[in-house]
Amino acid sequence: MGNMPTRWARTLLAGLGATVLVPILTLATATTPARAATVPCTSRTTTTPFTAWNDGNSYFTEPGGTFESGTSGWTLKNARVVSGNEPWKVLSAGNAYSLQLAAAGSAAGPSMCIATAEDAMRVFYKAPSSTTSGLLVTIHVTSGVNVADNTYSIGGGANGWRLSDRIMLPDIRDASGQQTVTISFTQVGTGATWQIDDVEIDPWRSL
């Protein structure tokens, strides 16, 4: 593993490690408008997709997060669905697609209501060999008058598919016990192609 950068929110450092995750949490009091079509809080269909990685927690898939049926509800820039699933095919043996982010590419999933005890996410990613390319994962949360962003960076240099660590969702739920969450992915640093697949959220009830 290479050197760990300090704060990606300020600048991208050269020489990123193969699998570097750096959390940055910011909290504001100004409201940010949520997307018009927010996926409501509802019952979740869960699986245990990461048992091979010693993670027996239950997860549900973000809407459109397998990219098997296109990118409805997602906002894309320099990104597109391509052939090639994460190789373990944890959700279905028939899955065959993933999302590719080109240089300066980005993808934001649909805004969705997150309820009590839904607190973390994981995603498969395929990093380029370039150590100066990175993937920025931003979790934007709004609740009442509060806004929070949790930002994680993943460094390039580990060519091939990997599973991210657990990435925590900020908890700023209001009296209703709910908040609105938008998860986005952005290619940063030197331009290089990344792929992501199977965006999964842990309802925490399995812990």
Side-chain angles (χ1 to χ4, degrees):
M1 181 176 293
N3 296 327
M4 181 176 291
T6 53
R7 293 182 65 88
W8 279 66
R10 296 177 181 173
T11 183
L12 174 69
L13 303 183
L16 296 175
T19 50
V20 176
L21 286 170
V22 180
I24 303 169
L25 175 63
T26 58
L27 182 64
T29 57
T31 57
T32 297
R35 296 185 181 188
T38 298
V39 178
C41 281
T42 184
S43 60
R44 312 294 192 185
T45 300
T46 62
T47 61
T48 54
F50 305 131
T51 54
W53 291 266
N54 297 316
D55 180 355
N57 296 344
S58 297
Y59 288 79
F60 68 89
T61 305
E62 176 172 9
T66 65
F67 309 108
E68 293 301 307
S69 301
T71 55
S72 177
W74 285 68
T75 301
L76 305 181
K77 175 186 176 183
N78 295 340
R80 63 189 180 95
V81 173
V82 295
S83 296
N85 201 77
E86 48 84 7
W88 301 278
K89 299 191 175 184
V90 298
L91 298 180
S92 173
N95 284 2
Y97 299 97
S98 58
L99 187 69
Q100 182 186 83
L101 279 68
S106 63
S111 295
M112 56 186 170
C113 174
I114 293 294
T116 302
E118 297 178 341
D119 74 332
M121 62 158 288
R122 300 188 83 171
V123 62
F124 286 104
Y125 64 91
K126 186 177 183 181
S129 58
S130 171
T131 59
T132 58
S133 179
L135 182 69
L136 200 64
V137 184
T138 301
I139 303 169
H140 179 71
V141 181
T142 62
S143 176
V145 296
N146 291 324
V147 177
D149 288 308
N150 215 3
T151 304
Y152 287 77
S153 59
I154 304 174
N159 197 17
W161 283 99
R162 295 200 177 192
L163 175 63
S164 76
D165 290 338
R166 285 172 56 84
I167 302 173
M168 304 310 294
L169 279 60
D171 185 357
I172 56 169
R173 289 167 291 156
D174 55 26
S176 71
Q178 299 178 354
Q179 58 189 13
T180 299
V181 174
T182 305
I183 300 171
S184 62
F185 304 87
T186 306
Q187 188 281 322
V188 293
T190 302
T193 297
W194 288 73
Q195 286 172 251
I196 60 172
D197 200 10
D198 298 345
V199 184
E200 298 290 306
I201 298 172
D202 180 2
W204 198 54
R205 66 184 179 204
S206 56
L207 294 179

